Amino acid sequence: MAKPAFFDYPTFRETRLPKVRLAHWKPVTLYTKYRWLVQALVVISFMLAPELRWLKLDLTNGQYWLLGYQVSLTVALQAVVILWLGTYFVNFFENYLIGRLLCGWICPWGLLNRLGMIINHFLRRHKQRALILAAANLLFAITATLVVMNWMIDLGTLFRPEHPYFGWVWGAFGLLALIGFVILHQMGFKFCESICPFGMYLTVVTQKNSLRITFDSNRACVDCGLCTQVCPMDLSPREMDFKDSMNGGFGQCILCGDCIDVCQVRMELENLPPPLRWNTAEGIIPLLPLEAKQGAK
Ligand code: SF4
Ligand code: SF4
């Protein structure tokens, strides 16, 4: 497929539609509505699992639970290993067949990054924006740390100075919350782009025949640049199909659908169909690599 000429001279016009930048929180298509729902359910399950003793290793008191029953450390550790391996294999096949859904749909850290972006957007004219954003990110980091620690310790230990692990638990809490805050506040989605080891792995193994964003060059594009502006992974969604996966293509795409949402909103103003689409959309051969499509013509 020939690369459209305008990609060599990107001239993104200013838009007078700041509301469309809210693509980060306001779902437009059914796809992004389901993404919000799934991510919320994952976060709720992650919080409830140790609370309901589905799986919890209380290392501070030497008590372990599985499916509501108290079990030995060995059984609990076996359950952890099975859970990790199961998660790994489910993700491996999901990633092979569909794409990097784990980052866009599942990862609670991505949700916190997204909430930070939404707060940043809403407060864009607020004088205390930097301070409020820092406070919000600190709150997110503390909450995430407590949720993760709840899988491994009794959080009540934090309030029992007589407990032998009191100092250790506070030390771990402080360190994890600080690391979380620095990552959230200083890096945001940059962490997912370039540091998260799981993200790097997914970038490498993501296949070209996965679900991906495609630019339909038979449709008009008003060259507004909004798709690029909203992309949390700093990609250029229009170009992805023309790049290889290792250098800014679908390997980095977390399949959030924000670019498609914003393109749809923008093109509705022109009464034209959006040029950005999923490769599974009607009129595009589903899940077929570009080379195969070209060969078939
Ligand atoms: S290219 Fe689109 S779907 Fe992919 S990460 Fe960027 S905004 Fe999300
Ligand atoms: S693809 Fe859509 S959102 Fe992106 S520049 Fe063109 S019209 Fe704007």
Side-chain angles (χ1 to χ4, degrees):
M1 185 188 289
K3 189 178 175 183
F6 68 83
F7 285 139
D8 295 329
Y9 308 98
T11 48
F12 295 149
R13 288 182 213 133
E14 280 294 309
T15 176
R16 291 179 187 278
L17 299 164
K19 66 173 182 171
V20 293
R21 297 206 62 187
L22 287 177
H24 295 299
W25 77 277
K26 202 172 178 181
V28 175
T29 55
L30 204 56
Y31 180 91
T32 39
K33 283 176 187 160
Y34 276 121
R35 189 202 69 210
W36 270 109
L37 182 69
V38 169
Q39 212 159 19
L41 288 176
V42 168
V43 170
I44 291 168
S45 316
F46 200 70
M47 291 164 86
L48 281 183
E51 273 306 304
L52 298 177
R53 303 291 191 256
W54 292 342
L55 181 59
K56 179 170 171 112
L57 282 76
D58 178 1
L59 299 171
T60 46
N61 297 308
Q63 293 177 318
Y64 315 98
W65 286 270
L66 178 63
L67 301 175
Y69 296 98
Q70 204 157 353
V71 294
S72 67
L73 175 62
T74 312
V75 172
L77 285 176
Q78 284 170 346
V80 170
V81 171
I82 290 169
L83 185 67
W84 265 106
L85 286 177
T87 307
Y88 173 79
F89 282 114
V90 167
N91 179 62
F92 179 85
F93 288 111
E94 172 279 308
N95 191 63
Y96 182 78
L97 294 171
I98 304 173
R100 208 171 148 177
L101 278 183
L102 178 94
C103 304
W105 281 58
I106 308 289
C107 178
W109 198 256
L111 185 66
L112 292 180
N113 279 331
R114 190 169 281 277
L115 292 178
M117 289 170 97
I118 292 167
I119 291 172
N120 199 24
H121 176 82
F122 272 113
L123 299 177
R124 62 192 179 283
R125 291 192 191 90
H126 199 288
K127 283 185 193 149
Q128 304 292 335
R129 175 167 76 160
L131 191 65
I132 297 173
L133 189 61
N137 278 330
L138 185 61
L139 183 68
F140 292 157
I142 288 173
T143 308
T145 303
L146 290 175
V147 169
V148 171
M149 286 180 78
N150 195 28
W151 282 74
M152 292 173 281
I153 63 155
D154 172 16
L155 290 181
T157 311
L158 285 164
F159 306 102
R160 285 203 289 274
E162 73 282 3
H163 197 286
Y165 288 118
F166 177 75
W168 287 102
V169 169
W170 267 105
F173 168 72
L175 186 67
L176 289 174
L178 179 68
I179 293 172
F181 171 71
V182 171
I183 293 175
L184 270 179
H185 198 58
Q186 297 298 327
M187 304 193 73
F189 273 103
K190 285 263 180 290
F191 175 79
C192 316
E193 269 176 54
S194 47
I195 293 187
C196 175
F198 216 70
M200 280 193 234
Y201 158 76
L202 293 177
T203 299
V204 174
V205 299
T206 298
Q207 301 291 302
K208 196 161 190 175
N209 59 347
S210 306
L211 177 68
R212 64 173 186 268
I213 303 288
T214 191
F215 179 81
D216 186 344
S217 49
N218 294 320
R219 292 184 173 184
C221 165
V222 296
D223 206 8
C224 63
L226 287 167
C227 49
T228 306
Q229 288 178 33
V230 298
C231 178
M233 297 298 278
D234 283 338
L235 297 170
S236 178
R238 291 186 295 175
E239 293 189 272
M240 277 173 33
D241 253 357
F242 307 104
K243 287 188 171 181
D244 63 272
S245 62
M246 293 298 288
N247 296 299
F250 41 83
Q252 283 88 357
C253 175
I254 59 172
L255 301 176
C256 67
D258 282 354
C259 54
I260 287 189
D261 271 25
V262 86
C263 187
Q264 182 159 315
V265 174
R266 178 63 187 88
M267 294 310 285
E268 267 171 15
L269 299 173
E270 314 289 339
N271 266 333
L272 288 170
L276 275 189
R277 303 200 271 170
W278 292 111
N279 63 327
T280 52
E282 209 176 323
I284 298 175
I285 303 171
L287 299 176
L288 204 62
L290 275 178
E291 304 86 62
K293 273 200 275 181
Q294 281 172 325
K297 279 180 185 171

